[in-house]
Amino acid sequence: MKKKYLYIAILFLGVITACNQAEDKITESNLDTETPDLNATDLWLRENITTPYNIDVNYQWDEGRVDLDRYLYPPTLNKVVPIMKVIKKVWIDTYSDLGGEDFVKLVAPREFVLVGGSNLNPSGTRTLGFAEGGKNIVLFETDLVDVKNKSQVTRFIQTIQHEYTHILNQQVRYDEEAFKQITPGGYTAQWFNPADEEERFDIANSLGFITDYARLNEGEDFAEMVETILTNNAEDYKQIIDNIKAKIISNAVANALDNLDAGATQAEIDAATQGAIVTATPEADNAIALIKAKEVIVAEYFKKSFNIDLYELQKLATDNILEAIK
């Protein structure tokens, strides 16, 4: 037994000796532990985005973050701060003012990935951005936005509002079943057909969808409702709704007139026009009612889940777009 203990002691001493010898051979780390040099853009991002909101902004090229089969490139350096100023003003400041200073700190993507060019899809559509599991938001076309142009800034901010809605939905679920049942038969993976964008929109609007992309599924439908409301003030949003109704009726009239013989009399033209208006008006009213029913669920979601009035959020967000482009 003593011999056994002796062997164990010798083995233990051998291990200690071997460890000491190994430690003696350790050299300096091959990892670069030096603090990286920060340019003026990095310093601005750290001071205004990363430190106060714990959101990293990745604008340097990383091919692992994008599709390798697309022609994509990093943003021009001097575009980064202007575009992030717009994002801060219209998105961060808006939610912070109404939801509280900690709202974005607690519920936000932890990274923005900026890409300079367009992300074109085989279907002919463009991907303007996407959220990955609520952790980050990838934004395309940052080089193509004139930050002093209202329409371009509004289009870009639509992507932010849309993707952030997905992140909010992951934090607090909306009533998905109730929302889906408003237009249950209208969803389709082929939302991008037909190829003509105006025709796609007309079809979507007539079925009770605010945009063509809203037809993909109820989650995208919800986000499209939010982005449309938050990037159009109350008057412009009402105009969108009114235009949808008018377009449904005008399309019906155009179709009725196309079905007339070339030698149709004025009386026949008038009769066809009036008949189309009478038939299409209730159809148009129904389409608007469906969109409005979705709007009700969206407004209830913001109020019950985050104690935010959707229409106050709309006013502040659209006012901040005007402030951002000054």
Side-chain angles (χ1 to χ4, degrees):
M1 181 68 78
K2 290 181 179 180
K3 187 178 293 185
K4 179 178 179 181
Y5 289 145
L6 179 60
Y7 288 153
I8 293 174
I10 292 172
L11 178 62
F12 181 68
L13 289 173
V15 170
I16 293 176
T17 302
C19 288
N20 286 337
Q21 290 174 347
E23 288 176 358
D24 291 339
K25 295 179 180 179
I26 292 178
T27 60
E28 293 184 4
S29 172
N30 291 325
L31 299 176
D32 183 4
T33 58
E34 294 289 328
T35 301
D37 293 332
L38 300 179
N39 58 34
T41 296
D42 297 324
L43 292 173
W44 188 93
L45 293 173
R46 174 177 289 186
E47 180 180 351
N48 294 276
I49 305 296
T50 305
T51 299
Y53 301 103
N54 191 29
I55 300 172
D56 190 25
V57 180
N58 185 354
Y59 65 88
Q60 297 179 337
W61 189 244
D62 181 352
E63 64 181 13
R65 308 301 297 276
V66 296
D67 292 330
L68 296 180
D69 60 347
R70 309 289 174 92
Y71 177 65
L72 299 169
Y73 50 86
T76 305
L77 184 61
N78 62 10
K79 285 281 192 175
V80 174
V81 169
I83 207 70
M84 290 308 302
K85 284 182 177 179
V86 169
I87 290 173
K88 182 179 184 303
K89 184 64 180 176
V90 182
W91 169 58
I92 293 179
D93 290 356
T94 297
Y95 274 97
S96 296
D97 286 349
L98 287 184
E101 63 177 356
D102 291 333
F103 190 92
V104 174
K105 296 177 185 179
L106 297 174
V107 185
R110 291 305 155 209
E111 179 188 37
F112 277 106
V113 178
L114 305 183
V115 180
S118 300
N119 188 2
L120 301 178
N121 300 310
S123 63
T125 61
R126 291 151 48 216
T127 297
L128 299 177
F130 57 84
E132 295 182 317
K135 298 177 181 178
N136 66 5
I137 292 179
V138 180
L139 296 170
F140 300 94
E141 302 190 8
T142 56
D143 263 10
L144 308 180
V145 180
D146 178 354
V147 295
K148 299 301 180 183
N149 183 293
K150 181 185 175 184
S151 63
Q152 291 186 27
V153 167
T154 298
R155 185 69 192 91
F156 183 77
I157 286 298
Q158 284 179 337
T159 305
I160 304 290
Q161 301 291 19
H162 180 107
E163 299 304 334
Y164 189 54
T165 300
H166 289 315
I167 292 174
L168 292 177
N169 291 163
Q170 290 176 15
Q171 293 293 316
V172 182
R173 309 301 296 186
Y174 64 96
D175 191 339
E176 297 172 24
E177 190 58 31
F179 191 89
K180 182 178 181 179
Q181 288 308 312
I182 295 173
T183 50
Y187 296 109
T188 174
Q190 299 298 311
W191 66 270
F192 47 82
N193 287 323
D196 183 78
E197 184 177 18
E198 183 177 358
E199 188 178 354
R200 284 203 311 269
F201 256 85
D202 288 346
I203 293 171
N205 292 159
S206 68
L207 294 173
F209 295 89
I210 197 69
T211 68
D212 54 352
Y213 185 57
R215 296 188 65 199
L216 178 59
N217 55 53
E218 65 273 14
E220 301 302 337
D221 194 4
F222 189 97
E224 289 288 283
M225 286 294 303
V226 174
E227 78 164 56
T228 303
I229 292 170
L230 296 187
T231 54
N232 293 277
N233 62 31
E235 182 179 346
D236 291 341
Y237 178 72
K238 181 179 182 303
Q239 189 64 52
I240 289 173
I241 299 300
D242 290 345
N243 286 344
I244 289 174
K245 179 176 179 178
K247 189 68 181 298
I248 292 172
I249 295 172
S250 67
N251 284 342
V253 171
N255 289 334
L257 296 181
D258 285 343
N259 290 329
L260 291 177
D261 294 333
T265 65
Q266 187 60 49
E268 291 173 329
I269 293 173
D270 292 343
T273 299
Q274 188 59 35
I277 292 173
V278 170
T279 301
T281 297
E283 294 176 0
D285 287 338
N286 181 64
I288 300 306
L290 295 174
I291 293 173
K292 286 292 187 180
K294 294 175 183 179
E295 183 182 332
V296 168
I297 292 179
V298 170
E300 289 178 349
Y301 169 78
F302 274 89
K303 191 62 178 178
K304 292 180 179 179
S305 301
F306 305 108
N307 196 30
I308 291 177
D309 184 295
L310 177 66
Y311 303 104
E312 289 183 12
L313 192 67
Q314 177 189 41
K315 184 179 188 311
L316 187 55
T318 52
D319 284 349
N320 280 343
I321 289 176
L322 298 179
E323 289 294 318
I325 63 176
K326 286 183 177 179

